[in-house]
Amino acid sequence: MVLGIGRKKLPENLSYEESRELAQNGSAKTRADLAERADLQPEVLYFLAEDPSSEVRRRIAANAQTPRQADLILARDGDEAVRAELASKVAQLTAPEGRGAQEKAQRFVEETLEVLARDQATRVRQILAEALKAVAHAPPPVIQRLARDAEDVVACPILEFSPLLSDEDLLEIIASSGLSSRLCAISRRSNLGEVISDAIVQRNDRKAVTELLANSSAQIREETLDSLIDGSMTETSWQPPLVERPALPVGAVKKLASFVAETLLQKLQSRSDLDQQTAEAVAEVVRRRIEEGAGEDGAKSDPAAEVAKLHKKGKLNSEAVGEAVLAGQRDFVRHALALMAGFQVDMVDRVLSRRSAKGITALAWKAGCSMRVALQLQTNMGGIPPAKALHARDGSDFPLSPEEMEWQLDFFASLGQE
């Protein structure tokens, strides 16, 4: 029988005999079209799983009706595209089947997923991880393997979303992994408990802690939160998520109000969850900050005179500038940087107003400030988002060479001559 072998389009209805004939003797295009059909007998689909055409096998791999035994064969296919297509179908493979078929098919499903989880192609494992990341009935051994995969694109989706990872699993991965990307993925998990949050904080990974603070569903002990608030005085990228965390304790709100930048202070004051007592406490802290620059007679003090006085005492240094930045004493900082760097105040204003991370870093360096203070200047005085700010190299070194920083300063100096 040769019915349909030369057809351009397969008939709507095919008998078993017709579909078997087409699978054996049809053209490559006919067999590929046949492989997509949902009305074929399992034996025909199984036969096509070993077709010489990779396109036919790819379509069989994508077919939800393909027998589980055939899926296992396709999991070892020599063509990566075939295996990738199968990996994208795994959510359907793991769906519970009828009681009679489930036990029989489960062995094939698990073995298929285990083969794909060990696939040499990162792309195949990545597709598998994306498909399984939120599946509650995926085989636990497969999830465990993917969570510890050598590639971030495979491990991170599982670490962030899989409900099959226990706290014990997460603690072991946190303790053994030195990769910031994986700590960040765990930090983004929904409803993290205090134990996991503490373990992340103890790794002292700046980016992971930032992600943890931004995760509104993560539970963080009050003592841990308090230590992070203290740390945010120097690690300013933590301040925005801290200010926006829900249900902040009164003490945390008051402490943040004492040093965050003015824009964040406004967000803190406008929080809708502050009770009257907390709102009044924050208002009092704000009032004291405003009065910090006033003299004993109530008149606003002269920041240039204060800077000169401190310089004469030998106390005008990086630490003094950093404290003034955190206290929101902008005028004091402007005059301090000018005196320490040997510039006019308008040069300092020019650098700060251009919101240049490199320019502000160079200004801090010229003034003899630390890279920690340079970061504070970028985010608190220069209005640069933490994600776009320049950070220290090797913990404390300036990320630019002296030549690069001198060039930056010469450039800003030239702008004043225009």
Side-chain angles (χ1 to χ4, degrees):
M1 176 185 247
V2 293
L3 178 63
I5 292 178
R7 292 177 183 266
K8 292 184 177 180
K9 185 177 181 181
L10 296 176
E12 183 175 346
N13 296 309
L14 282 173
S15 68
Y16 169 69
E17 290 76 12
E18 290 172 334
S19 61
R20 186 178 61 182
E21 176 69 19
L22 291 172
Q24 290 176 337
N25 301 311
S27 67
K29 182 181 184 308
T30 297
R31 301 196 311 276
D33 291 342
L34 190 68
E36 292 182 318
R37 296 180 66 114
D39 60 348
L40 296 185
Q41 291 293 323
E43 300 95 303
V44 178
L45 293 168
Y46 189 91
F47 178 81
L48 289 173
E50 297 183 294
D51 194 275
S53 168
S54 61
E55 178 60 19
V56 172
R57 301 196 307 277
R58 187 188 67 78
R59 296 191 189 190
I60 285 292
N63 194 327
Q65 302 304 315
T66 298
R68 298 299 179 247
Q69 297 93 321
D71 284 328
L72 180 56
I73 292 173
L74 293 166
R76 298 186 174 93
D77 196 278
D79 192 304
E80 180 181 323
V82 173
R83 306 194 307 275
E85 196 70 62
L86 180 64
S88 66
K89 191 180 70 174
V90 291
Q92 299 173 43
L93 296 185
T94 58
E97 302 184 43
R99 181 177 300 176
Q102 184 176 6
E103 183 177 350
K104 181 178 180 180
Q106 187 64 25
R107 177 171 57 86
F108 290 105
V109 170
E110 292 184 0
E111 189 172 350
T112 297
L113 297 178
E114 288 171 2
V115 170
L116 291 173
R118 294 192 299 268
D119 199 286
Q120 63 180 356
T122 300
R123 172 171 169 250
V124 172
R125 304 196 310 277
Q126 179 183 2
I127 293 172
L128 182 69
E130 289 289 346
L132 289 180
K133 65 184 181 183
V135 176
H137 43 264
V142 173
I143 295 299
Q144 293 291 337
R145 173 178 285 275
L146 293 174
R148 294 166 175 79
D149 194 275
E151 301 294 337
D152 283 347
V153 292
V154 179
C156 287
I158 300 295
L159 293 175
E160 182 173 350
F161 296 106
S162 179
L164 297 178
L165 294 177
S166 66
D167 281 0
E168 289 72 21
D169 294 326
L170 296 174
L171 287 172
E172 185 270 323
I173 293 170
I174 291 170
S176 61
S177 176
L179 298 176
S180 178
S181 54
R182 308 202 177 195
L183 297 176
C184 287
I186 295 173
S187 297
R188 293 190 293 267
R189 287 177 67 91
S190 296
N191 302 311
L192 278 182
E194 293 179 348
V195 173
I196 304 300
S197 295
D198 275 349
I200 292 169
V201 172
Q202 288 168 10
R203 288 306 305 268
N204 198 30
D205 184 282
R206 176 179 58 81
K207 291 183 179 179
V209 171
T210 303
E211 294 281 7
L212 179 68
L213 291 172
N215 183 350
S216 60
S217 70
Q219 300 175 35
I220 303 177
R221 290 188 306 114
E222 189 167 340
E223 295 84 351
T224 302
L225 189 64
D226 196 54
S227 70
L228 293 176
I229 291 174
D230 289 339
S232 73
M233 292 182 183
T234 54
E235 188 52 70
T236 54
S237 61
W238 294 349
Q239 292 180 15
L242 275 168
V243 166
E244 295 178 2
R245 275 198 69 79
L248 278 175
V250 176
V253 175
K254 291 173 64 177
K255 183 179 288 188
L256 283 169
S258 69
F259 64 82
V260 295
E262 185 176 346
T263 54
L264 293 176
L265 183 59
Q266 292 172 356
K267 288 185 178 181
L268 197 62
Q269 286 183 285
S270 63
R271 285 176 61 112
S272 59
D273 62 343
L274 297 184
D275 57 34
Q276 184 176 353
Q277 182 181 3
T278 305
E280 290 175 353
V282 172
E284 174 63 20
V285 173
V286 173
R287 183 186 64 79
R288 288 202 303 268
R289 282 182 59 171
I290 293 174
E291 293 178 349
E292 282 180 352
E296 294 180 359
D297 60 355
K300 188 171 179 62
S301 61
D302 180 0
E306 287 186 9
V307 167
K309 183 178 179 180
L310 206 61
H311 177 65
K312 187 176 181 180
K313 292 181 179 180
K315 294 182 179 180
L316 185 62
N317 52 31
S318 178
E319 184 178 355
V321 173
E323 290 176 355
V325 171
L326 294 178
Q329 298 173 336
R330 187 178 185 88
D331 286 341
F332 177 94
V333 174
R334 292 168 55 240
H335 286 276
L337 290 173
L339 179 59
M340 295 167 70
F343 294 140
Q344 296 296 319
V345 175
D346 63 347
M347 168 69 169
V348 173
D349 291 340
R350 196 178 308 133
V351 175
L352 294 176
S353 65
R354 291 298 181 106
R355 296 190 175 188
S356 167
K358 291 183 177 180
I360 295 174
T361 299
L363 176 62
W365 167 77
K366 190 69 173 181
C369 294
S370 66
M371 187 56 210
R372 175 180 61 81
V373 172
L375 180 59
Q376 294 171 350
L377 287 167
Q378 292 176 73
T379 55
N380 289 32
M381 296 280 291
I384 297 171
K388 295 184 178 180
L390 287 181
H391 293 267
R393 187 180 70 245
D394 297 331
S396 61
D397 295 339
F398 280 82
L400 303 175
S401 68
E403 292 77 16
E404 289 177 300
M405 290 187 281
E406 287 288 3
W407 186 93
Q408 289 289 329
L409 296 173
D410 289 342
F411 169 75
F412 281 99
S414 68
L415 294 180
Q417 300 169 4
E418 294 177 353

